[in-house]
Short mmCIF file of all heavy atoms in Angstrom, two decimals:
data_model
loop_
_atom_site.label_atom_id
_atom_site.label_comp_id
_atom_site.label_asym_id
_atom_site.label_seq_id
_atom_site.Cartn_x
_atom_site.Cartn_y
_atom_site.Cartn_z
N ARG A 11 8.93 18.18 7.19
CA ARG A 11 7.89 17.52 6.41
C ARG A 11 6.52 17.82 7.01
O ARG A 11 6.36 17.81 8.23
CB ARG A 11 8.16 16.01 6.45
CG ARG A 11 7.13 15.15 5.80
CD ARG A 11 7.51 13.70 6.00
NE ARG A 11 6.33 12.98 6.39
CZ ARG A 11 5.99 11.79 5.93
NH1 ARG A 11 6.78 11.16 5.10
NH2 ARG A 11 4.90 11.21 6.32
N LEU A 12 5.57 18.08 6.14
CA LEU A 12 4.19 18.31 6.56
C LEU A 12 3.28 17.69 5.52
O LEU A 12 3.02 18.29 4.48
CB LEU A 12 3.90 19.81 6.72
CG LEU A 12 2.48 20.17 7.15
CD1 LEU A 12 2.16 19.60 8.52
CD2 LEU A 12 2.28 21.68 7.14
N HIS A 13 2.84 16.48 5.79
CA HIS A 13 1.95 15.76 4.88
C HIS A 13 0.57 15.72 5.53
O HIS A 13 0.39 15.10 6.58
CB HIS A 13 2.46 14.35 4.60
CG HIS A 13 3.72 14.35 3.79
ND1 HIS A 13 4.28 13.20 3.32
CD2 HIS A 13 4.51 15.36 3.35
CE1 HIS A 13 5.39 13.50 2.64
NE2 HIS A 13 5.54 14.80 2.65
N ILE A 14 -0.39 16.40 4.90
CA ILE A 14 -1.73 16.57 5.44
C ILE A 14 -2.74 15.80 4.60
O ILE A 14 -2.79 15.97 3.38
CB ILE A 14 -2.13 18.06 5.44
CG1 ILE A 14 -1.10 18.90 6.20
CG2 ILE A 14 -3.53 18.25 6.02
CD1 ILE A 14 -1.25 20.40 5.97
N LEU A 15 -3.55 15.00 5.26
CA LEU A 15 -4.64 14.29 4.58
C LEU A 15 -5.96 14.89 5.04
O LEU A 15 -6.26 14.91 6.23
CB LEU A 15 -4.61 12.80 4.92
CG LEU A 15 -5.75 11.96 4.35
CD1 LEU A 15 -5.78 12.03 2.82
CD2 LEU A 15 -5.64 10.52 4.82
N LEU A 16 -6.72 15.43 4.09
CA LEU A 16 -8.06 15.91 4.37
C LEU A 16 -9.02 14.77 4.06
O LEU A 16 -8.99 14.21 2.96
CB LEU A 16 -8.40 17.12 3.50
CG LEU A 16 -7.48 18.34 3.61
CD1 LEU A 16 -7.99 19.47 2.74
CD2 LEU A 16 -7.34 18.80 5.04
N VAL A 17 -9.82 14.41 5.02
CA VAL A 17 -10.77 13.31 4.87
C VAL A 17 -12.16 13.91 4.73
O VAL A 17 -12.56 14.78 5.50
CB VAL A 17 -10.70 12.36 6.08
CG1 VAL A 17 -11.67 11.22 5.92
CG2 VAL A 17 -9.29 11.82 6.26
N CYS A 18 -12.89 13.42 3.72
CA CYS A 18 -14.17 14.03 3.40
C CYS A 18 -15.17 12.96 2.96
O CYS A 18 -14.88 11.79 3.01
CB CYS A 18 -13.96 15.05 2.28
SG CYS A 18 -13.18 14.30 0.83
N ASN A 19 -16.32 13.44 2.49
CA ASN A 19 -17.34 12.54 1.98
C ASN A 19 -16.96 12.07 0.57
O ASN A 19 -16.59 10.94 0.38
CB ASN A 19 -18.69 13.26 1.95
CG ASN A 19 -19.75 12.53 2.72
OD1 ASN A 19 -19.55 11.41 3.18
ND2 ASN A 19 -20.88 13.17 2.89
N LEU A 20 -17.06 12.97 -0.39
CA LEU A 20 -16.76 12.61 -1.78
C LEU A 20 -15.58 13.39 -2.35
O LEU A 20 -14.97 12.98 -3.30
CB LEU A 20 -17.99 12.81 -2.66
CG LEU A 20 -19.19 11.95 -2.28
CD1 LEU A 20 -20.40 12.34 -3.12
CD2 LEU A 20 -18.88 10.48 -2.45
N GLY A 21 -15.31 14.57 -1.80
CA GLY A 21 -14.10 15.26 -2.19
C GLY A 21 -14.22 16.52 -3.02
O GLY A 21 -13.23 17.16 -3.27
N ALA A 22 -15.40 16.90 -3.48
CA ALA A 22 -15.52 18.08 -4.35
C ALA A 22 -15.10 19.36 -3.63
O ALA A 22 -14.17 20.05 -4.07
CB ALA A 22 -16.94 18.20 -4.88
N SER A 23 -15.75 19.67 -2.52
CA SER A 23 -15.40 20.89 -1.81
C SER A 23 -14.03 20.78 -1.15
O SER A 23 -13.30 21.76 -1.05
CB SER A 23 -16.47 21.24 -0.77
OG SER A 23 -16.63 20.17 0.13
N THR A 24 -13.67 19.60 -0.74
CA THR A 24 -12.37 19.41 -0.11
C THR A 24 -11.25 19.55 -1.14
O THR A 24 -10.17 20.03 -0.81
CB THR A 24 -12.30 18.05 0.62
OG1 THR A 24 -13.46 17.93 1.44
CG2 THR A 24 -11.08 17.95 1.49
N GLY A 25 -11.53 19.19 -2.38
CA GLY A 25 -10.55 19.39 -3.45
C GLY A 25 -10.22 20.85 -3.64
O GLY A 25 -9.06 21.23 -3.87
N VAL A 26 -11.22 21.71 -3.53
CA VAL A 26 -11.01 23.15 -3.61
C VAL A 26 -10.12 23.59 -2.44
O VAL A 26 -9.22 24.42 -2.61
CB VAL A 26 -12.36 23.91 -3.60
CG1 VAL A 26 -12.16 25.41 -3.48
CG2 VAL A 26 -13.17 23.56 -4.83
N MET A 27 -10.37 23.05 -1.26
CA MET A 27 -9.59 23.40 -0.08
C MET A 27 -8.13 22.98 -0.27
O MET A 27 -7.21 23.73 0.09
CB MET A 27 -10.17 22.72 1.16
CG MET A 27 -9.50 23.13 2.44
SD MET A 27 -9.69 24.88 2.80
CE MET A 27 -11.44 24.91 3.16
N VAL A 28 -7.89 21.81 -0.83
CA VAL A 28 -6.53 21.34 -1.07
C VAL A 28 -5.79 22.32 -1.97
O VAL A 28 -4.65 22.71 -1.69
CB VAL A 28 -6.52 19.92 -1.69
CG1 VAL A 28 -5.15 19.56 -2.25
CG2 VAL A 28 -6.96 18.89 -0.67
#
Side-chain angles (χ1 to χ4, degrees):
R11 175 184 135 137
L12 179 62
H13 292 186
I14 304 166
L15 176 60
L16 302 183
V17 180
C18 55
N19 236 352
L20 298 174
S23 57
T24 310
V26 172
M27 185 63 69
V28 167

